[in-house]
Amino acid sequence: MGNCLKAQSADDISLLRGSETQDGNDQALGPPPPYQERVAPRAPIYYPSPNVSRPANLLTEDEQVKIAKRLGLIVHLPCGVYDGCSKKGKECAICMCDFVMGESLRFLPCMHTYHKDCIDDWLMRSFTCPSCMEPVDAALLTSYETS
Amino acid sequence: MTSMEKRLQKELQALTKDPPAGVIVNTESVSQNMSEWIVDLYGAPGSLYDGEKFQLSFKFSPRYPFDSPQVMFIGPNIPVHPHVYSNGHICLSILTDDWSPALSVTSVCLSIVSMLSSCQEKKRPPDNAIYVKTCSKNPKKTRWFYHDDTV
């Protein structure tokens, strides 16, 4: 099986996508970087389960599938910006900070709300809601079936 | 301040301001970077541990709250309980497999108090002798099998 979680390298396709990803555009206009012997890029660390951390290149095949699924599913969870509306809750149970107007939030199918960065970090370790322990993928599927 | 320190700072504040019954954090024990705490725990009134005082040690990794804290009993009085080994290690699923970042020092302490309170007979785990001889110093390294939901 191909390594779908390969570490980003210089010829990564994402560099072709243009301005959406980074604001380092002005850098791209400068002179080309000096030639460098390519050193093995530092592989990003993934967490197949909360207490197991592994660089991407050491993941087992099962773990790669697990992580790839999580990456794919997270994208389908609705996001939003905190507008001061209290029915979405007002504190993130992960960092225990109050939501501040304009912060990015993510809404889980079980109706629990977290900072986007906080919950995405957790979902990459375990696909469950930290507050109710509901498996998020099951709930995501039911929400598709009913709507 | 790292996100781990920030969150622990909040927890410490809440726990010192509004501590649940029988849980007292030893603020002097809290290390500079917040990564080690000692919490005093008192057996609940009416339980087999009524009037006993215990000490819990908490160690947090920089990845807390995504990583569970390392929690064990320390000091002269280790509760005699079917889920507590004589070296202080605790067999409690929320400390490893069932950890969630929405849990906290307070909720862990309350779980342990309630685990003690529901005990019917003071005795050590059946495999205490062999476990204590062979285990790692870090209880998180133990492959726990959670089988007993009664206590």
Side-chain angles (χ1 to χ4, degrees), chain A:
Chain A
M1 173 177 145
N3 187 352
C4 50
L5 296 169
K6 207 171 71 173
Q8 285 217 341
S9 55
D11 55 356
D12 193 284
I13 189 80
S14 65
L15 295 178
L16 300 174
R17 268 194 228 127
S19 58
E20 48 165 324
T21 42
Q22 33 216 299
D23 43 6
N25 271 347
D26 34 339
Q27 251 184 350
L29 296 173
Y35 176 77
Q36 277 180 332
E37 197 64 56
R38 190 175 300 170
V39 270
R42 241 192 46 230
I45 306 286
Y46 286 101
Y47 302 86
S49 44
N51 288 311
V52 180
S53 63
R54 246 191 269 292
N57 54 331
L58 295 181
L59 292 169
T60 68
E61 230 175 271
D62 281 354
E63 288 168 350
Q64 289 185 26
V65 171
K66 208 171 175 183
I67 306 252
K69 271 190 191 157
R70 286 179 195 161
L71 282 166
L73 284 170
I74 287 178
V75 190
H76 293 282
L77 296 168
C79 292
V81 163
Y82 186 62
D83 55 6
C85 170
S86 65
K87 73 167 190 264
K88 290 168 192 159
K90 48 195 241 298
E91 190 198 76
C92 173
I94 296 178
C95 64
M96 293 185 172
C97 293
D98 287 342
F99 295 136
V100 174
M101 292 283 263
E103 276 181 330
S104 305
L105 307 182
R106 200 183 280 288
F107 311 103
L108 300 193
C110 52
M111 309 303 282
H112 288 112
T113 306
Y114 305 90
H115 285 126
K116 184 170 173 292
D117 292 347
C118 294
I119 190 65
D120 287 6
D121 226 350
W122 173 250
L123 292 176
M124 284 308 293
R125 296 156 204 256
S126 165
F127 225 68
T128 52
C129 171
S131 299
C132 63
M133 307 307 258
E134 178 104 12
V136 177
D137 42 358
L140 190 61
L141 285 176
T142 3
S143 72
Y144 270 117
E145 277 162 14
T146 49
S147 59

Side-chain angles (χ1 to χ4, degrees), chain B residues 24-81:
Chain B
I24 295 174
V25 60
N26 182 337
T27 38
E28 292 193 353
S29 74
V30 176
S31 58
Q32 186 71 52
N33 61 354
M34 307 293 292
S35 70
E36 294 188 22
W37 300 24
I38 291 173
V39 177
D40 293 339
L41 218 61
Y42 293 87
S47 75
L48 295 181
Y49 305 90
D50 192 348
E52 284 189 70
K53 181 188 171 186
F54 308 106
Q55 279 193 313
L56 277 177
S57 136
F58 279 78
K59 288 182 184 165
F60 305 92
S61 88
R63 291 200 298 268
Y64 180 81
F66 297 107
D67 234 358
S68 61
Q70 183 192 316
V71 184
M72 55 193 276
F73 282 104
I74 54 165
N77 195 18
I78 307 284
V80 178
H81 182 282

Side-chain angles (χ1 to χ4, degrees), chain B residues 21-22 42-52 54 113-122:
Chain B
Y42 293 87
S47 75
L48 295 181
Y49 305 90
D50 192 348
E52 284 189 70
F54 308 106
V113 170
S114 117
M115 178 188 90
L116 293 179
S117 300
S118 53
C119 178
Q120 303 289 324
E121 187 193 351
K122 279 188 176 185

